[in-house]
Amino acid sequence: MELLRNLTLILLATTIVGHYSTRIGIPAVIGQLLVGVIIGPAMLGWISLTHVLESYAELGVIILMFIAGLESDLKLLKRYLKPSVLVALMGVLIPVIGTYLVGMLYNLGMVESLFISVIFAATSVSISVEVLKEMNALNSREGTTILGAAVVDDVLAVVILSVLVSTTGTAVGDSAAASGGLLLTTLEQIVYFAAIYFVVRWVAPYMAKIGDRLLIPMGQTLMAIILCFGMAYVAELVGLSDVVGAFFAGIAISQTSAKSTVDRHIEPIGYALFIPVFFVSIGLNMDFNGLGKQLGFIVVLTIVAVLTKLIGAGAGAKMAGFSLDSATAVGAGMVSRGEMALIIAQIGYTAKLMSPVRYSAIVAAIIVATLLAPFLLRVTMNRAHRGEIDRSKVRPVE
């Protein structure tokens, strides 16, 4: 009964707020995030983030990233691979340096400062994906670069986190054991990415053919979901985020004859239930209790988190040959931390890499940065689009 009540309230609120957000020109995802803040522990306290809601939210982000992969152009992803790597590298390096300095400024100690820098190095592209979809810009050069960079960024964040845990010898395990585990995890991840080629080339087309022959409704869609969940599960097993597996599963299905059928069937499944719950769940993590004394730390950390990602990822795009407006849009698309940062923060908290006193403040900074990200992306993408139109009107003097 509690689950039904919570789902009814979430879906009713997100439907109304999403409608009016879109009507006044605000990304619908912003309204959904704010719904979580308003009805959650931070304000009204009507709903708290239960284990069941967390499971729904996890399914939501997996389906969202599967849809992103399904609607992505593989040729464009290959074309913008170099810019994506540059954006990811600079988008990790600058935030790591910036947030580490903030930690040292507040006398947090080297290990805790390092861990906070890893938290804010991560990018959650799921919210950017939703904004890009609303703007029909998912397959633009900026959108494609953001998607590619997010995958590389995720791998880099996992590697840095693994190294940090292994070298500090925390509650996760002693340094020697963790170092051996790091080597094994790295090898497993290499094998995983190598296996993606075989999935795209042979496994996905074969599963699509099986789905077409099944004597049940939506056979191809069911096979696609099996591939999506399977690749997400294996990604988690090898130490990657499940969204990486879901994204590549979407790309694999996009190369088959089942693409249009699956796309038509999967969106209602995601957007009718799971995806709204995911966006609301981010807001449900916000809690204002005891944050008054750390307001200065939250403000400084949020500003640094936004600016370092914007500048770092934007600089990577500029180095790759993007115009200033386009590079800024790419940087804005990497600002959102969302579930990736929250997951890493939880890992560090469990491993005693950060103090309980700072944990709530860091979660607050993650959520505020995530709330700001869609606004930044919409503004910068509009500016980049206007710049392209203006440049196309310019004719050389003969």
Side-chain angles (χ1 to χ4, degrees):
M1 287 179 65
E2 182 185 8
L3 174 62
L4 292 174
R5 180 188 74 90
N6 291 345
L7 290 177
T8 302
L9 182 57
I10 287 171
L11 295 177
L12 178 62
T14 54
T15 299
I16 295 170
V17 173
H19 170 76
Y20 284 103
S21 297
T22 304
R23 189 171 180 176
I24 62 176
I26 296 173
V29 64
I30 280 289
Q32 293 173 337
L33 290 167
L34 290 175
V35 164
V37 175
I38 293 167
I39 67 175
M43 295 184 69
L44 299 177
W46 291 348
I47 294 178
S48 59
L49 191 58
T50 63
H51 177 69
V52 178
L53 282 180
E54 282 184 338
S55 299
Y56 273 64
E58 191 66 23
L59 288 173
V61 71
I62 287 171
I63 292 171
L64 178 63
M65 291 310 296
F66 176 73
I67 293 171
L70 194 64
E71 297 182 356
S72 295
D73 189 324
L74 186 57
K75 291 180 181 177
L76 281 176
L77 283 169
K78 289 178 181 177
R79 181 180 173 185
Y80 291 111
L81 179 61
K82 181 182 175 182
S84 296
V85 172
L86 279 171
V87 167
L89 288 173
M90 293 299 292
V92 167
L93 178 62
I94 303 302
V96 163
I97 295 171
T99 46
Y100 175 78
L101 292 175
V102 171
M104 296 303 289
L105 178 67
Y106 280 85
N107 301 315
L108 298 188
M110 188 181 75
V111 172
E112 191 169 5
S113 297
L114 273 173
F115 185 73
I116 292 173
S117 71
V118 175
I119 293 172
F120 288 95
T123 292
S124 173
V125 78
S126 51
I127 291 167
S128 297
V129 163
E130 187 62 21
V131 176
L132 290 168
K133 278 171 63 64
E134 286 182 22
M135 300 181 72
N136 294 316
L138 198 60
N139 281 324
S140 64
R141 67 194 299 241
E142 295 88 359
T144 303
T145 302
I146 290 167
L147 281 170
V151 174
V152 179
D153 185 289
D154 186 60
V155 174
L156 290 173
V158 168
V159 169
I160 295 170
L161 176 64
S162 300
V163 170
L164 183 60
V165 171
S166 69
T167 54
T168 53
T170 61
V172 173
D174 59 68
S175 297
S179 297
L182 174 61
L183 178 61
L184 179 61
T185 298
T186 303
L187 290 173
E188 288 173 344
Q189 290 174 1
I190 291 171
V191 171
Y192 182 83
F193 282 109
I196 288 172
Y197 171 79
F198 294 96
V199 172
V200 174
R201 186 74 176 81
W202 289 290
V203 177
Y206 182 67
M207 291 182 71
K209 288 179 182 177
I210 292 175
D212 192 37
R213 294 172 184 171
L214 289 174
L215 301 178
I216 56 174
M218 296 195 295
Q220 287 185 323
T221 303
L222 285 169
M223 295 304 290
I225 292 174
I226 290 169
L227 182 65
C228 171
F229 289 174
M231 289 185 68
Y233 171 70
V234 177
E236 284 274 4
L237 281 182
V238 301
L240 294 167
S241 169
D242 49 19
V243 300
V244 172
F247 178 70
F248 281 111
I251 288 177
I253 294 297
S254 75
Q255 304 305 300
T256 71
S257 59
K259 175 183 177 178
S260 59
T261 301
V262 173
D263 195 17
R264 189 170 64 253
H265 290 163
I266 198 72
E267 285 205 2
I269 295 172
Y271 283 98
L273 177 59
F274 297 105
I275 293 173
V277 174
F278 162 65
F279 288 126
V280 169
S281 73
I282 295 175
L284 291 177
N285 280 289
M286 177 73 83
D287 190 347
F288 295 140
N289 291 332
L291 293 181
K293 296 179 181 178
Q294 301 190 68
L295 188 59
F297 175 68
I298 294 169
V299 170
V300 171
L301 190 57
T302 302
I303 292 171
V304 171
V306 171
L307 289 180
T308 52
K309 207 67 164 178
L310 187 66
I311 293 168
K318 194 75 175 70
M319 289 164 59
F322 283 64
S323 67
L324 181 59
D325 287 341
S326 290
T328 305
V330 171
M334 300 293 287
V335 165
S336 173
R337 299 319 201 273
E339 80 284 352
M340 275 304 300
L342 291 171
I343 290 167
I344 294 174
Q346 182 60 41
I347 291 170
Y349 181 69
T350 304
K352 298 186 170 125
L353 285 169
M354 59 194 296
S355 65
V357 177
R358 296 292 184 185
Y359 177 71
S360 294
I362 288 165
V363 169
I366 291 168
I367 292 172
V368 174
T370 301
L371 286 168
L372 292 172
F375 286 111
L376 289 171
L377 180 56
R378 181 175 280 275
V379 170
T380 53
M381 279 296 292
N382 281 331
R383 185 183 301 163
H385 181 63
R386 285 196 301 269
E388 287 179 5
I389 292 173
D390 292 341
R391 283 190 295 274
S392 69
K393 290 179 181 178
V394 175
R395 295 288 183 268
V397 179
E398 295 184 5

